[in-house]
């Protein structure tokens, strides 16, 4: 085992020990609060589910966790770089594997460490578990026993059995080889492959490469006894024998001459720099031993600067990490109830991984690389393990291959719906944002981004273009934007994929200055000041473009203070007809649902009329998400329990809303728990106008709204969307400096849909406006 610093040792033990031992827990997915709940979960109600499964075993997929449950099983005979440390000591690794399944693919796992060394016993123990699981992931079982164990289990079991040490590594290696052959313009069937190591992973890699077209005659295998050759007796088995060469060569140094690919799954330092000089032009060096590769990348490049290099380490490019594939292969296999993971499914995963590496990098993958974008090439033959698109590419490819090869018991009928479900897992905003994104794609509105040079805006623009959500316009200097697109590895280009407003040299400068004086001249803006502002204030430039009809909506606020942006929007865009005040509506998507909160940014202490107005305007936005607004006027008072000024204004706001908009489902003033729990609300106030949970929470003041919003984000692992600015004459939204590229994409879709609504209004489909606390037609 490599040396580990004392600090790392202490931190690792603390991580596993606190705040509670281990890395996993089991949570109930159904309520167990009342006697009725218990009667459904256990006796007598559970008998109904048992009888249904007894009559039709396929019902287990719908009535139990089985079809989303994988067993991670090890006997502890080959754990990481630790060797045969036994099943109990392997448990932290198996828990870690379980966490990866859940994190990357939403798959539940029981880790099972078995005290079994003999092949027969392992097979008997594991095969007996079939009724419990939808799939088996074998882990850290030593070779050659692992080959026989997996083969016999696959024969006996009708669920996927996958030894990740073999096939996970093989799939990623094969994807890297495929892309290396593409870059080097080489034919896999003709290249020479030399390995150092002949264990489970190495032989699985070679077997898969042969399936992809590599020639057995061109494969040379070495291990601690030297070259695997015909007639060798020491440390041989039937799996190695396949690759025995008829030759008088005996060492790695001899075998490597003319090699195009070196595949190392052995030990650190075995590949000497002088060996590399003998290799073919543009060699692929896969030094995958951990923690010390067969040769360090800097040593290899010093001798062979033309080499492509992969390691198993996260601190070098091209990390071969099994998490790139195993969660997503199982995801696809489980989702079609595959009876096995066959060669076709593994090859589909290879193609998906290799193809993803050639796509422009995502913002998540870039953050995993410390903010540096890595584009397809020598430094990026395979995707980063944190790329969220892995599940979207691999799982559908594997599922389709399972269906096409006849091993799927529950084929997927609509793959577009399946991919959408996976997207919802990756981006938790997916379900709620789906109608917004669909309408945005239909409308193709023009959206301008004030901070066009910001990395997050550029990454969001790439996604907006790829997903066809809008036609972007960026405010920024062309040279800076071009340079940053190159740096971040983004493929979008000005003029082709997006439009550009250059604040240093735009032909409309004089017109913009004139327009700005026209709308802001009464706010103390002189002609000289206007010329300076139009050159330097990107939010003003974006707002002017929106005012002049050159774009349909604007987004700003990625940099700078919220209220400064709002003042500029107020001067240039102004309020919508009949609206008296701006407000900010923030959305948080939690495990319990989606909740809109207002006002989180603007009104410090709104009066009753302002609260009524923001409630009606918020309701209009909520309907765009396909939701029926259920509005709670939240207070420290619960239906008259206090008579403070704050509770009085919430009461007055309710009266205004009931008079002006009697069909709106609104209630208050009430406590937060009464808003979200109808049982509590019914107990306190049985005559409530609102049924079910509230999804719009109108707070009595800015402190309450902003604090609640920030706490929910922090404590509930919630996904924020917004803030959505309500009240401007045209769609203009101010984000906050903490926004992510995905947050900008979400707001782009929202702005596009809002812009389409305004177009519909002009064509005669008039929405309702708020005037003096009453809702009237906008006409």
């Amino acid at each position: 085992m490599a040396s580990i610093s004392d600090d790392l040792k202490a931190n690792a033990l603390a991580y596993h020990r606190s705040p509670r031992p281990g890395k996993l827990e089991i949570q109930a997915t159904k309520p167990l609060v009342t006697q009725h709940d218990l009667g459904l979960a256990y006796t007598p109600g559970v008998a109904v589910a048992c009888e249904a499964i007894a009559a039709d075993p396929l019902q287990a997929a719908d009535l139990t966790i089985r079809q989303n449950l994988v067993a991670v099983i090890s006997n502890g005979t080959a754990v990481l770089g630790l060797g045969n440390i036994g099943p109990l000591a392997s448990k932290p690794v198996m828990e870690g594997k379980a966490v990866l399944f859940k994190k990357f693919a939403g798959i539940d796992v029981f880790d099972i460490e078995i005290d079994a060394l003999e092949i027969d016993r392992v097979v008997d123990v594991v095969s007996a578990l079939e009724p419990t699981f939808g799939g088996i992931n074998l882990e850290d079982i030593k070779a050659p026993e692992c080959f026989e164990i997996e083969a016999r289990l696959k024969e006996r079991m009708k669920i996927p059995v996958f030894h990740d040490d073999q096939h996970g590594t093989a799939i990623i290696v094969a994807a890297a080889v495929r892309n290396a052959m593409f870059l080097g313009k080489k034919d896999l069937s003709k290249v020479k492959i030399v390995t150092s190591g002949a264990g489970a992973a190495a032989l699985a890699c070679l077997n898969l490469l042969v399936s992809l077209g590599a020639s057995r005659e061109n494969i040379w295998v070495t291990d601690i006894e030297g070259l695997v050759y015909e007639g060798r007796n020491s440390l041989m088995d039937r799996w190695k024998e396949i690759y025995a060469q008829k030759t008088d060569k005996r060492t790695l140094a001899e075998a490597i001459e003319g090699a195009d690919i070196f595949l190392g799954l052995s030990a650190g330092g075995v590949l000497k720099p002088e060996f590399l000089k003998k290799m073919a032009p543009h060699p692929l060096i896969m030094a995958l031993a951990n923690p010390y590769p067969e040769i360090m990348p800097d040593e290899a490049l010093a001798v062979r600067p033309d080499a492509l290099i992969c390691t198993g380490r996260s601190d070098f490019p091209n990390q071969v990490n099994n998490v790139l594939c195993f969660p997503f292969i199982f995801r696809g296999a489980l989702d079609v109830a595959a009876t096995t993971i066959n060669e076709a499914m593994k090859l589909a995963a290879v193609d998906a991984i290799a193809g993803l590496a050639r796509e422009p990098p995502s913002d998540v993958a870039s953050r995993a690389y410390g903010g540096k974008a890595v584009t397809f090439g020598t430094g990026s033959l395979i995707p980063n393990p944190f790329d969220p698109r892995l599940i979207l590419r691999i799982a559908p490819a594997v599922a389709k291959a399972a269906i096409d090869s006849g091993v799927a018991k529950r084929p997927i009928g609509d793959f577009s719906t399946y991919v959408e479900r996976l997207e919802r897992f990756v981006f938790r905003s997916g379900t709620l944002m789906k109608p917004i994104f669909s309408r945005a794609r239909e409308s193709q509105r023009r959206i301008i981004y004030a901070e066009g040079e910001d990395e997050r805006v550029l990454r969001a623009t790439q996604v907006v273009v790829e997903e066809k959500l809008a036609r972007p316009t960026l405010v920024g200097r062309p040279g800076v934007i071009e340079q940053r697109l190159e740096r971040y590895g983004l493929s979008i280009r000005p003029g082709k994929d997006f439009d550009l407003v250059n604040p240093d040299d735009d032909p409309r400068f004089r017109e913009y200055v004139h327009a700005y004086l026209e709308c802001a001249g009464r706010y103390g803006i002189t002609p000289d000041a206007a010329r300076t502002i139009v050159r330097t204030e990107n939010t003003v430039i974006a707002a002017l473009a929106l005012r002049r009809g050159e774009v349909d909506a604007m987004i700003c606020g990625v940099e700078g203070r919220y209220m400064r942006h709002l003042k500029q929007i107020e001067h240039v865009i102004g309020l919508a007809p009949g609206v008296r005040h701006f407000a900010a509506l923030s959305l948080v998507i939690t495990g319990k649902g989606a909740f809109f909160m207002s006002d989180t940014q603007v009104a410090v202490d709104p009066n009753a009329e302002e609260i009524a107005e923001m409630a009606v305007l918020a309701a209009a936005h909520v309907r765009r998400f396909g939701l029926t607004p259920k509005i709670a006027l939240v207070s420290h008072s619960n239906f008259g329990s206090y008579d403070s000024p704050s509770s009085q204004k919430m009461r007055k706001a309710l009266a205004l809303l009931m008079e002006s908009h009697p069909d709106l489902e609104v209630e208050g003033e009430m406590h937060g728990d009464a808003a979200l729990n109808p049982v509590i609300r019914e107990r306190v106030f049985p005559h409530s106008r609102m049924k079910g949970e509230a999804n719009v929470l109108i707070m009595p003041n800015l402190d309450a709204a902003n604090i609640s919003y920030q706490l929910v984000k922090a404590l509930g692992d919630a996904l924020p969307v917004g803030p959505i600015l309500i009240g401007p004459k045209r769609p203009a939204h101010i984000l906050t400096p903490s926004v992510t590229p995905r947050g900008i994409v979400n707001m782009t879709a929202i702005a596009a849909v809002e812009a389409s609504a305004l177009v519909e209004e002009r064509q005669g489909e008039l929405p309702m406006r708020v005037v003096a606390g009453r809702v009237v037609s906008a006409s």
Side-chain angles (χ1 to χ4, degrees):
M1 180 180 173
S3 66
I4 296 178
S5 69
D6 290 340
D7 283 347
L8 182 56
K9 289 179 182 177
N11 288 337
L13 291 174
Y15 174 86
H16 284 81
R17 183 177 289 124
S18 302
R20 54 188 296 184
K23 300 187 283 281
L24 297 172
E25 67 177 2
I26 295 175
Q27 290 187 342
T29 60
K30 304 289 167 48
L32 284 169
V33 178
T34 66
Q35 186 66 34
H36 177 68
D37 294 339
L38 187 60
L40 295 174
Y42 200 53
T43 184
V46 72
V48 180
C50 294
E51 290 171 344
I53 295 170
D56 178 9
L58 290 178
Q59 287 291 310
D62 298 320
L63 298 174
T64 74
I65 193 179
R66 182 176 187 261
Q67 206 53 48
N68 195 54
L69 185 63
V70 166
V72 171
I73 300 179
S74 180
N75 62 3
T77 53
V79 180
L80 295 178
L82 303 172
N84 187 355
I85 60 174
L88 182 59
S90 77
K91 189 170 181 65
V93 179
M94 301 312 122
E95 284 189 0
K97 193 84 173 195
V99 170
L100 296 178
F101 266 109
K102 188 67 173 180
K103 166 71 176 177
F104 288 99
I107 295 171
D108 295 305
V109 167
F110 292 161
D111 66 287
I112 299 176
E113 296 73 34
I114 58 175
D115 186 8
L117 298 178
E118 300 82 7
I119 291 174
D120 288 344
R121 189 175 181 203
V122 173
V123 171
D124 287 342
V125 169
V126 176
S127 61
L129 298 172
E130 183 169 350
T132 302
F133 297 99
I136 303 291
N137 184 95
L138 300 175
E139 194 76 17
D140 293 348
I141 300 174
K142 73 181 181 72
E145 289 91 336
C146 62
F147 301 122
E148 185 71 23
I149 289 169
E150 186 191 42
R152 287 169 58 177
L153 286 172
K154 291 180 80 168
E155 288 177 2
R156 288 177 61 168
M157 304 181 79
K158 299 302 181 185
I159 58 175
V161 177
F162 188 81
H163 185 208
D164 186 45
D165 299 317
Q166 293 181 58
H167 308 301
T169 302
I171 287 165
I172 303 160
V173 164
V177 168
R178 172 158 285 182
N179 280 341
M181 297 300 96
F182 175 82
L183 286 175
K185 299 179 180 178
K186 295 183 179 183
D187 184 344
L188 182 59
S189 67
K190 298 177 181 177
V191 300
K192 180 178 179 180
I193 303 170
V194 177
T195 78
S196 173
L203 293 176
C205 290
L206 295 178
N207 293 340
L208 191 56
L209 289 175
V210 169
S211 296
L212 287 170
S215 171
R216 290 184 187 274
E217 291 72 28
N218 294 336
I219 295 174
W220 299 66
V221 176
T222 68
D223 60 12
I224 57 174
E225 290 289 319
L227 184 70
V228 174
Y229 60 90
E230 288 186 7
R232 192 180 110 171
N233 296 315
S234 177
L235 290 180
M236 289 297 289
D237 54 55
R238 62 188 176 95
W239 296 281
K240 284 185 194 176
E241 191 68 44
I242 297 170
Y243 295 104
Q245 289 282 358
K246 188 175 183 178
T247 180
D248 57 1
K249 295 178 180 179
R250 295 293 182 266
T251 66
L252 174 61
E254 294 173 308
I256 203 167
E257 186 163 358
D260 298 273
I261 299 172
F262 169 80
L263 175 58
L265 286 153
S266 55
V270 302
L271 183 62
K272 307 303 180 186
E274 56 267 27
F275 295 0
L276 271 60
K277 297 177 182 179
K278 303 177 183 180
M279 296 184 73
H282 305 292
L284 172 61
I285 300 168
M286 307 195 78
L288 306 182
N290 251 328
Y292 298 114
E294 285 78 3
I295 188 169
M296 295 298 288
D298 55 343
E299 291 182 79
L301 290 172
V303 180
R304 292 300 300 263
D306 62 334
L308 304 171
I309 302 176
C310 298
T311 72
R313 291 171 48 146
S314 60
D315 53 345
F316 293 111
N318 296 322
Q319 182 194 14
V320 175
N321 187 330
N322 287 14
V323 78
L324 272 166
C325 70
F326 74 79
F328 317 119
I329 289 173
F330 269 98
R331 181 74 278 157
L334 293 174
D335 289 340
V336 295
T339 57
T340 186
I341 293 175
N342 58 24
E343 204 71 6
M345 295 159 75
K346 290 187 284 184
L347 293 176
V350 171
D351 290 341
I353 294 169
L356 178 57
R358 302 182 194 185
E359 296 183 30
S362 73
D363 65 287
V364 178
S366 179
R367 287 201 302 273
Y369 278 119
K372 299 176 182 176
V374 183
T375 56
F376 176 62
T378 59
S380 184
L381 295 175
I382 45 181
N384 182 274
F386 289 95
D387 194 319
R389 298 168 295 179
L390 283 163
I391 191 172
L392 304 179
R393 303 295 185 271
I394 299 173
V398 169
K400 188 175 188 306
I403 295 168
D404 293 344
S405 60
V407 299
K409 291 191 296 184
R410 294 161 62 95
I412 293 169
D414 184 351
F415 264 88
S416 62
T417 300
Y418 176 59
V419 172
E420 286 177 2
R421 179 162 67 85
L422 295 176
E423 287 176 341
R424 291 196 294 270
F425 170 75
V426 177
F427 305 113
R428 287 172 296 166
S429 60
T431 303
L432 193 63
M433 294 297 295
K434 185 176 181 294
I436 299 293
F437 275 72
S438 296
R439 290 172 62 189
R441 290 188 187 100
E442 293 170 3
S443 63
Q444 285 295 293
R445 296 299 166 194
R446 302 162 299 170
I447 311 295
I448 190 167
Y449 303 86
E451 295 92 356
E453 297 174 3
D454 188 277
E455 177 184 356
R456 291 163 295 171
V457 171
L458 293 172
R459 291 192 179 283
T461 302
Q462 175 85 39
V463 176
V464 168
V465 170
E466 288 178 352
E467 297 191 11
K468 298 182 173 63
L469 296 177
R471 173 69 183 188
T473 297
L474 305 186
V475 180
R477 295 161 293 178
V480 173
I481 288 177
E482 289 275 12
Q483 182 184 38
R484 292 181 180 178
L485 289 174
E486 189 71 25
R487 182 194 306 168
Y488 304 140
L490 303 175
S491 61
I492 52 173
R493 289 295 175 263
K496 176 176 176 288
D497 301 302
F498 62 90
D499 301 313
L500 200 58
V501 176
N502 180 5
D504 289 344
D505 184 21
D506 191 278
R508 296 163 293 188
F509 174 69
R510 292 175 184 270
E511 297 171 21
Y512 275 26
V513 170
H514 177 76
Y516 187 51
L517 282 170
E518 192 174 50
C519 60
R522 294 185 183 276
Y523 294 100
I525 302 298
T526 65
D528 286 342
R531 282 188 285 271
T532 300
I533 291 170
V534 172
R535 285 278 192 216
T536 59
E537 296 287 348
N538 285 14
T539 297
V540 170
I541 296 170
L544 288 168
L546 178 59
R547 179 186 174 92
R548 285 161 49 88
E550 295 164 357
V551 295
D552 302 306
M554 69 170 282
I555 291 175
C556 63
V558 176
E559 300 168 2
R561 293 183 179 277
Y562 189 97
M563 295 307 293
R564 179 168 165 269
H565 292 286
L566 181 62
K567 184 177 180 181
Q568 293 168 335
I569 288 171
E570 183 179 13
H571 289 174
V572 179
I573 304 299
L575 288 159
V579 176
R580 295 173 295 182
H581 304 280
F582 292 107
L585 180 68
S586 294
L587 165 63
V588 285
I589 303 169
T590 74
K592 294 184 178 297
F595 303 96
F596 296 81
M597 298 183 182
S598 191
D599 173 7
T600 57
Q601 300 289 340
V602 181
V604 175
D605 188 16
N607 59 34
E609 288 75 16
E610 291 171 321
I611 286 171
E613 181 178 85
M614 75 172 69
V616 175
L617 294 174
H621 276 281
V622 171
R623 290 190 186 97
R624 293 196 183 110
F625 287 84
L627 300 176
T628 300
K630 295 176 178 287
I631 303 172
L633 304 180
V634 185
S635 170
H636 74 290
S637 172
N638 210 21
F639 299 105
S641 62
Y642 284 86
D643 201 28
S644 64
S646 172
S647 58
Q648 288 176 15
K649 77 174 178 182
M650 299 305 273
R651 247 172 266 156
K652 183 178 178 183
L654 177 65
L656 290 170
L657 287 166
M658 291 174 67
E659 179 188 357
S660 64
H661 209 83
D663 58 334
L664 195 63
E665 195 168 352
V666 58
E667 188 58 275
E669 82 284 8
M670 70 176 86
H671 287 172
D673 58 354
L676 301 180
N677 190 325
V679 174
I680 293 175
R681 188 168 62 251
E682 176 71 17
R683 186 185 308 133
V684 176
F685 188 68
H687 307 294
S688 172
R689 306 173 70 244
M690 185 169 66
K691 305 302 177 185
E693 289 185 349
N695 54 21
V696 182
L697 306 175
I698 305 295
M699 305 289 182
N701 55 50
L702 180 60
D703 284 350
N706 193 270
I707 291 170
S708 299
Y709 172 60
Q710 301 295 347
L711 285 175
V712 171
K713 281 200 304 178
L715 298 178
D717 190 28
L719 179 69
V721 178
I724 301 167
L725 183 62
I726 53 179
K729 186 181 296 183
R730 294 179 175 85
H733 296 287
I734 307 166
L735 304 179
T736 59
S738 63
V739 71
T740 64
R742 192 69 200 181
I744 298 172
V745 172
N746 286 338
M747 281 307 304
T748 298
I750 290 170
V753 170
E754 187 181 2
S756 294
L758 285 180
V759 172
E760 293 168 1
E761 175 186 342
R762 296 189 194 106
Q763 294 173 348
E765 299 179 20
L766 300 175
M768 305 306 287
R769 298 291 190 188
V770 182
V771 178
R774 302 181 65 86
V775 180
V776 299
S777 169
S779 60

